[in-house]
């Protein structure tokens, strides 16, 4: 669907998803977008060669792509301030600081003068490896590390050449130091003084990067650029966009996903003071809703509350969570597609047998900032302000809805208050909805920008959850813990089927559901997978398949260790062998720093251990847990992390702490679980959607394995191993391993 409207975006994205290979497809930067990038308050380095590329002339830098040219990324003001544009959505993971740190390192900038700003849907801000606009898969630092280093190095080289020309000296006689070019006889010129001349010079294609031992910014614990604004309440998010004459819309949705709207009585709604229009709009999945457009949110909400709507529920499936679980159990007993194959004959004669069933509920993303999208329409043009993980795909979807060409749509990426996957939707649902509402409002005679806003209840009841899953395992092993046969069944909806990433499904199996199974343990496993179709919209949730597969694998490994009376750390180390050095290093670090096996725990506490790799990083947890008044308590967490080179240690620490807390949220009573009855979501807000409170937060210490290898991602890897480590501690206390999230100890 989207390919027809934005051919420059999605084929490259699909190529990556299907082949897992980088793309070198050429791209161009529109002249309109370029001029906005350059701006009037500073000088963008390499601006003129970049403009020549956009106009179709041969690029001056030997064929550099827009993602490789400094002009869209580096702006140096006369006072020396360096503004770095980020090519990702900042929604709490710290790229607004991490990416500028990388560029500033090679630029040799004065970090005190470095600022950052958000990018747009311009091609310059595509992921340089994937060839599409994307923030996800913990790939921001990983994929842009070399890109931003080279951008900084190119800008530095141009500044050096400008100084050499000014002083008529050999460029080899010059050096840079903290935003200044230093020449012979103590000559100095600030970057701000040189920027105008530097921007007219050719962009060097080849640059020499620093040796990591010479880093002075990368690797240093650095306060985030946005820390002051966020801690003082001055940070603007997408929800805070205010344009002249702006109106706000809220949308009434069907009580059951996909239900048809039959009649609308909007008399009372139109009578609410401040309501400007009531319009019917199409919704994601073929349903229809009613938007109330008003002067502000409260007026729009009162108008929506006053609507009298009738829905046809007869033609849609009404999901019931209890019945769904029974159906999943029945399906788990059937043959199905195989992801792993192994000989199961030893299972019948194995000295030890273990059978287990695991149940994982739907979970909502529930970011602190609810979904929103502001759209301004004009003749032959649309401009959007939205916090999105897929600005390119979303601009394509907006163009389709608004009957515009892709180049007539501009998305201004806004800082977002969380997302955890919900702002990266293949259907672009909340962006499409914002465009549909703006289009309908314009047709109703309202010539004003419109902000479509979701309430917290809209966000939680509005669909796109982490899928419900059922796992069933039968394992045979000997007295030493050697697994002889592991027969495993996984049942759950596919996330990517029917989306632009559907090509990843092979043999009827969605790989996002099975990631994290078996590895890193060399096990003889047969894995059967069933993907039932259910009338509940599903989506990736922070760490995707690893949210459930890590729990299953790490608790079952612990079960085998206990059954054979082996230490769980020693057993894992034995299974790793020599094939998993990063797992071994992360786990050993967590063990050493926690005091595991050496320190005596207070009465009523037990150790729990888990280690897991996802998105190329390994996190191991050693936890201390207890049970108080029949409820599980997580007392202390020690993390060992292997993510290769660390750009900003404070961001890694924050990501692990936040991910651990989110992992804890899956375990505690309420557990963020989404349940359905007669097709309706039963939860609506944090009052009945359990989340950890400050009193639930354990002490968390984060330790990183030193490495000079290029960095891997840290947005998601800290989440998966927390729940199994906690569960393993509870199993040692109670003798009953938790098999369901949230935990049920009774």
């Amino acid at each position: 669907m989207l390919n027809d409207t934005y051919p420059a975006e999605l084929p490259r994205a699909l190529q990556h998803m299907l082949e897992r290979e980088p793309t070198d497809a050429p791209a161009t930067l529109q002249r309109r977008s370029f001029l906005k990038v350059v701006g009037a308050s500073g000088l963008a380095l390499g601006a003129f060669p970049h403009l020549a590329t956009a106009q179709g002339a041969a690029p001056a830098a030997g064929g550099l792509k827009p993602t490789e040219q400094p002009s869209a990324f580096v702006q140096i003001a006369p006072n020396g301030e360096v503004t770095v544009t980020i090519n990702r959505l900042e929604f709490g993971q710290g790229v607004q600081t991490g990416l500028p740190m990388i560029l500033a390192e090679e630029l040799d900038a004065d970090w005190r003068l470095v600022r950052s700003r958000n990018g747009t849907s311009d091609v310059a801000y595509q992921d340089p490896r994937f060839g599409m606009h994307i923030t996800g898969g913990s790939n921001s630092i990983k994929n842009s590390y070399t890109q931003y280093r080279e951008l900084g190095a190119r800008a530095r080289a141009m500044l050096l050449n400008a100084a050499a020309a000014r002083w008529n000296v050999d460029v080899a006689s010059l050096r840079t130091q903290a935003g200044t070019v230093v020449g012979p006889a103590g000559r100095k010129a600030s970057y701000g003084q040189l920027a105008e001349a530097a921007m007219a010079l050719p962009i060097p294609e080849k640059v020499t990067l620093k040796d990591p031992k010479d880093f002075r910014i990368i690797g240093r614990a650095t306060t985030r650029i946005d820390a002051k604004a966020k801690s003082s309440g001055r940070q603007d998010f997408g929800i805070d966009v205010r344009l002249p004459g702006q109106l706000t819309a809220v949308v009434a949705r069907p009580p059951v996903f996909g239900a048809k709207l039959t009649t609308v009585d909007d008399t009372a709604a139109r009578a609410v003071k401040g309501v400007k229009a009531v319009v019917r709009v199409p919704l994601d999945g073929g349903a229809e809703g009613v938007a109330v457009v008003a002067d502000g949110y409260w007026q729009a909400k009162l108008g929506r509350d006053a609507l009298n709507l009738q829905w046809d529920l007869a033609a849609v499936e009404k999901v019931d969570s209890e019945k769904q679980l029974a159906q999943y159990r029945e399906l788990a007993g059937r043959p199905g597609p195989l992801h792993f194959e192994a000989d199961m004959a030893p299972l019948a004669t194995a000295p030890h047998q273990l059978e287990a069933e695991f149940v994982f509920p739907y979970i909502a993303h529930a970011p602190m900032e609810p979904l929103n999208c502001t759209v301004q329409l004009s003749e032959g043009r649309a401009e959007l302000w939205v916090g999105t993980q897929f600005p390119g795909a979303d601009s394509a979807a907006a163009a389709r809805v608004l009957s515009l060409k892709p180049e007539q749509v501009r998305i201004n990426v806004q800082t977002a208050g969380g997302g955890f996957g919900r702002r990266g939707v293949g259907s672009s649902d909340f962006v499409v909805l914002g465009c549909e509402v703006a289009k309908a409002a314009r047709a109703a005679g309202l010539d004003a920008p419109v902000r479509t806003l979701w309430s917290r209840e809209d966000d939680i009841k509005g669909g796109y959850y982490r899928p419900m899953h059922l796992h069933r395992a039968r394992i045979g092993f000997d007295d030493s813990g050697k697994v002889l046969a592991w027969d495993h069944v996984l049942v759950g909806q596919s996330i990517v089927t029917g989306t632009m990433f559907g090509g990843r499904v092979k043999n009827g199996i969605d790989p996002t559901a099975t990631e994290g199974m078996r590895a890193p343990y060399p096990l003889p496993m047969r894995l059967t997978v069933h993907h039932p179709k259910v009338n509940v919209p599903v989506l990736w949730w922070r760490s995707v398949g690893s949210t459930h597969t890590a729990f299953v694998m790490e608790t079952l490994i612990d079960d085998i260790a206990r059954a054979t009376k082996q230490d769980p750390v020693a057993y894992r180390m034995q299974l790793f062998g020599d094939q998993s050095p990063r797992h071994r290093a992360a786990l050993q670090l967590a063990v050493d720093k926690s005091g595991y096996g050496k320190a005596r725990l207070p009465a009523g506490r037990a150790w729990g251990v888990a280690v897991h790799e996802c998105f190329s990083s390994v996190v191991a947890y050693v936890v201390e847990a207890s049970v108080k008044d029949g409820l599980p308590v997580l007392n202390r967490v020690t993390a060992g992390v292997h993510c290769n080179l660390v750009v900003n240690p404070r961001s890694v620490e924050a990501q692990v702490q936040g991910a651990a807390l989110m992992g804890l949220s899956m375990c505690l009573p309420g557990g963020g679980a989404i349940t359905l009855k007669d097709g309706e979501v039963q939860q609506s807000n944090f009052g009945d959607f359990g989340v950890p409170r400050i009193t639930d937060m354990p002490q968390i210490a984060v330790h990183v394995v030193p490495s000079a290898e290029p960095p891997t991602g840290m947005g998601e890897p800290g989440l998966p191993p927390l729940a199994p480590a906690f569960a393993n501690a509870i199993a040692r206390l109670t003798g009953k391993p938790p098999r369901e999230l949230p935990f049920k100890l009774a």
Side-chain angles (χ1 to χ4, degrees), residues 624-636:
E624 298 174 26
S626 57
V627 177
K628 183 178 181 181
D629 299 327
L631 297 176
V633 178
L634 187 61
N635 303 104
R636 188 165 171 257

Side-chain angles (χ1 to χ4, degrees), residues 95-113:
V95 293
Q96 206 167 41
T97 302
L99 290 173
M101 286 178 69
I102 297 168
L103 192 149
E105 180 67 73
E106 295 290 347
L107 180 61
D108 207 6
D110 182 345
W111 180 252
R112 297 170 301 175
L113 298 177

Side-chain angles (χ1 to χ4, degrees), residues 248-272:
T248 295
V250 297
V251 177
R253 297 169 179 79
V256 176
F257 297 118
K260 301 300 181 183
L261 182 62
T262 55
T263 62
V264 177
D265 182 354
D266 59 8
T267 305
R270 291 181 180 277
V272 173

Side-chain angles (χ1 to χ4, degrees), residues 386-402:
V386 59
T388 168
Q389 295 173 244
F390 293 165
D394 288 347
S395 66
R400 172 179 54 81
V401 169
L402 300 171

Side-chain angles (χ1 to χ4, degrees), residues 416-434:
F420 317 115
R422 184 60 181 93
R423 301 182 192 274
V425 193
S427 67
S428 303
D429 72 314
F430 65 101
V431 175
V432 166
L433 179 61

